[in-house]
Amino acid sequence: KVWDAVDTGCCLKTYSCHSCAVRAARWSSCGRRILSGGFDSTLHLTDVETGKQIFSSKTEFRVSALKFHPTESNIFLCGGFSPEVKAWDIRTSKVLRVYKAAVQQTLDVLFLPEGREFLTSTDAVSRDSADRTIIAWDFQSAAKISNQIFHERYTCPSLSLHPKESMFVAQTNGNYMALFSAQRPYRINKKKRYEGHKVEGFAVGCEFSPDGTLLVTGSSDGKVFFYNYHTSRIIRTLSAHKEACVSATFHPVLPSLLATCDWAGEIKIWQ
């Protein structure tokens, strides 16, 4: 569904190209197309105005994560319930590269600045080891750069890149967000830890504000937490939803607007 978020709050259009739950949807850089993937193991690139499918393909796994390349607008990464992440080219409708790790599921994908490297967060956590929880990849060669980034035994359902500094955060199922360097060797910042919200097994999203001063996250108790990026202190909380708040995202042009959504499917826009 495409919504008018600023004026009426109404649903403008509905596209019914999937036969099962849609797990990931991304706007293209031009803002005229939506890339979607879901539990029917299909990928669709839909023209927002006409509703036609510009690109459609079947994958061997249920899709749970999609990301467009930051500089190559025709290339995207696709991950899900599989040990593989695939790079697709929309122009040829073919797979460019395959990135394979000894995991069962990819939870999130994050391109680092310029798109030469990217990170995947996975479900690979054992009782005595946390290697492969976050993996860094070379985009061109498909080689693993590092899989010893996060050593605590929690999965990380979402990753977010700082808009101005070479840093990224990982949401963890330990009920805190961890801060890392976005340059090799991707070290964790042990002095900053953003805690107070709850994750409790939900795929709770986190994001930096457009100016990089705030860090916002949902919480399994329905609240939204705003953290000061520099001090890691909670600035304020919103009692946003009755169900678990699984995502909070800033408007890319109007920084005072925030969208939140909950586990029951409710979406709210906040000033």
Side-chain angles (χ1 to χ4, degrees), residues 222 241-247 260-267:
H241 299 274
K242 292 178 182 176
E243 299 281 338
C245 180
V246 291
S247 185
T260 64
C261 66
D262 72 4
W263 188 246
E266 184 179 59
I267 301 166

Side-chain angles (χ1 to χ4, degrees), residues 19 36 54 65 138 167-168 171 187:
S19 59
S36 58
I54 297 159
D138 184 279
M167 306 295 287
F168 73 92
Q171 181 81 271
R187 285 203 177 94

Side-chain angles (χ1 to χ4, degrees), residues 58-241:
K58 186 89 174 165
T59 67
E60 302 87 45
F61 53 84
R62 289 179 293 167
V63 177
S64 62
L66 295 170
K67 281 284 163 69
F68 276 105
H69 193 281
T71 58
E72 303 275 347
S73 60
N74 290 304
I75 295 172
F76 68 89
L77 289 175
C78 162
F81 292 78
S82 166
E84 297 178 344
V85 172
K86 295 184 177 182
W88 289 79
D89 192 322
I90 291 164
R91 295 162 294 191
T92 61
S93 299
K94 290 182 179 177
V95 175
L96 281 177
R97 279 174 216 96
V98 177
Y99 310 84
K100 192 165 184 176
V103 300
Q104 290 182 308
Q105 183 185 357
T106 299
L107 304 176
D108 199 9
V109 177
L110 180 70
F111 271 107
L112 296 177
E114 299 176 11
R116 295 194 192 103
E117 298 166 7
F118 70 92
L119 305 167
T120 56
S121 65
T122 76
D123 65 348
V125 175
S126 60
R127 190 164 40 175
D128 56 352
S129 173
D131 69 322
R132 307 191 307 277
T133 305
I134 299 175
I135 304 172
W137 302 86
D138 184 279
F139 178 73
Q140 289 292 345
S141 69
K144 275 196 204 84
I145 299 167
S146 176
N147 63 349
Q148 299 286 335
I149 298 170
F150 184 55
H151 295 284
E152 297 189 36
R153 292 190 291 276
Y154 299 112
T155 51
C156 300
S158 66
L159 307 170
S160 181
L161 188 67
H162 194 280
K164 295 182 178 179
E165 296 180 20
S166 189
M167 306 295 287
F168 73 92
V169 292
Q171 181 81 271
T172 79
N173 271 306
N175 295 331
Y176 67 91
M177 290 178 286
L179 184 68
F180 299 84
S181 166
Q183 294 178 327
R184 299 186 199 184
Y186 317 109
R187 285 203 177 94
I188 190 169
N189 185 329
K190 294 181 179 177
K191 294 179 182 177
K192 288 184 184 176
R193 193 155 140 159
Y194 306 86
E195 50 193 350
H197 62 289
K198 296 177 183 177
V199 182
E200 296 178 337
F202 289 94
V204 174
C206 58
E207 189 180 287
F208 288 100
S209 61
D211 64 359
T213 59
L214 299 176
L215 184 57
V216 65
T217 178
S219 181
S220 63
D221 57 8
K223 292 179 182 176
V224 177
F225 284 73
F226 295 87
Y227 293 88
N228 182 310
Y229 163 64
H230 295 289
T231 66
S232 68
R233 289 179 181 166
I234 297 170
I235 295 172
R236 69 174 299 182
T237 60
L238 289 174
S239 295
H241 299 274

